[in-house]
Amino acid sequence: MKNLQIALPYNIEPLFQQYYRQLCLFANNILHDEAQAEDVVQSFFAGLCEGRNTLPEEESARKGYLFIAIRNNCLRQIRNEKTRSKYVNQLDKDMIEEETVMDAMIQAEVINQLMEAINKLPQGCRQVLHMAIFEKCSNEEIANNLTISINTVKSQKKRAIQLLRARLDARTLTLLLFLLPD
């Protein structure tokens, strides 16, 4: 602990000199942080100087009062840190949840735009794209289900993408390409 020189009123200075080191050690046992412990003790003595804190008149009661006051200030410090930490954690959690909700809303909007655009395609393109995206069918499965050739499936997909490219914004088109198998 540093050797601290603080100008205190006459009646407080001997008390400070006598108990400062002990009170810092005591506070450090509670807070497990030497710098914080010194801050708590210094704040207490500053409060005495400013008249915010008062001491009992009896000499025998002062020592107990000092230790109880420091203990209470340490506990207040811990409680404030927990509250601050809880607030920061909740704020982080709220931000994450808000981002997740916003992402879900954007995704739903983009998928809705994609579905609306697909529904406006010619029937052959619409069927092939719907089976590829929403039913996760391969080109071969689509060809078998619609009794058409694989080359027809590929050309219908290509035509659908060309038509959608003109109707969709870049992010929706990117989603479409991501959703397409093969």
Side-chain angles (χ1 to χ4, degrees):
M1 306 214 181
K2 345 176 215 189
N3 199 357
L4 196 62
Q5 298 295 325
I6 296 179
L8 298 172
Y10 176 75
N11 60 344
I12 296 174
E13 189 169 353
L15 201 60
F16 180 83
Q17 296 300 327
Q18 182 179 359
Y19 290 107
Y20 178 76
R21 191 172 215 73
Q22 287 179 47
L23 291 172
C24 285
L25 291 169
F26 175 69
N28 189 36
N29 283 335
I30 297 170
L31 297 171
H32 305 290
D33 183 328
E34 193 173 313
Q36 232 181 11
E38 289 180 9
D39 287 346
V40 167
V41 174
Q42 289 170 13
S43 292
F44 174 77
F45 277 104
L48 283 175
C49 292
E50 295 169 359
R52 288 183 284 140
N53 301 327
T54 56
L55 290 173
E57 292 293 323
E58 295 179 27
E59 181 68 33
S60 61
R62 281 189 189 152
K63 183 176 181 179
Y65 176 82
L66 289 172
F67 282 90
I68 289 170
I70 296 301
R71 180 201 66 195
N72 290 343
N73 289 349
C74 287
L75 295 175
R76 189 174 303 117
Q77 178 78 18
I78 291 168
R79 194 170 43 249
N80 288 343
E81 284 180 19
K82 283 183 179 177
T83 301
R84 193 175 314 117
S85 176
K86 182 179 176 183
Y87 175 75
V88 168
N89 289 341
Q90 184 61 41
L91 187 62
D92 289 344
K93 183 180 175 188
D94 289 347
M95 288 176 73
I96 289 168
E97 287 174 359
E98 188 174 315
E99 287 174 12
T100 304
V101 168
M102 288 301 291
D103 288 346
M105 288 171 59
I106 291 168
Q107 185 178 12
E109 181 181 330
V110 169
I111 290 173
N112 186 51
Q113 287 175 357
L114 179 60
M115 290 177 69
E116 285 178 5
I118 289 172
N119 287 335
K120 292 178 183 174
L121 292 173
Q123 184 178 350
C125 294
R126 184 175 58 239
Q127 279 182 315
V128 168
L129 216 51
H130 187 274
M131 290 177 76
I133 294 173
F134 301 110
E135 297 176 26
K136 306 287 187 214
C137 294
S138 67
N139 287 347
E140 190 175 298
E141 292 171 325
I142 295 169
N144 289 337
N145 286 341
L146 298 177
T147 59
I148 56 176
S149 73
I150 290 180
N151 287 334
T152 304
V153 171
K154 289 179 182 178
S155 66
Q156 290 287 4
K157 272 187 184 178
K158 185 177 179 180
R159 182 171 174 226
I161 291 170
Q162 287 173 344
L163 291 170
L164 290 175
R165 199 173 265 148
R167 297 177 186 168
L168 298 174
D169 60 13
R171 113 184 127 176
T172 310
L173 189 60
T174 303
L175 176 64
L176 169 68
L177 296 175
F178 177 74
L179 292 174
L180 278 174
D182 307 322

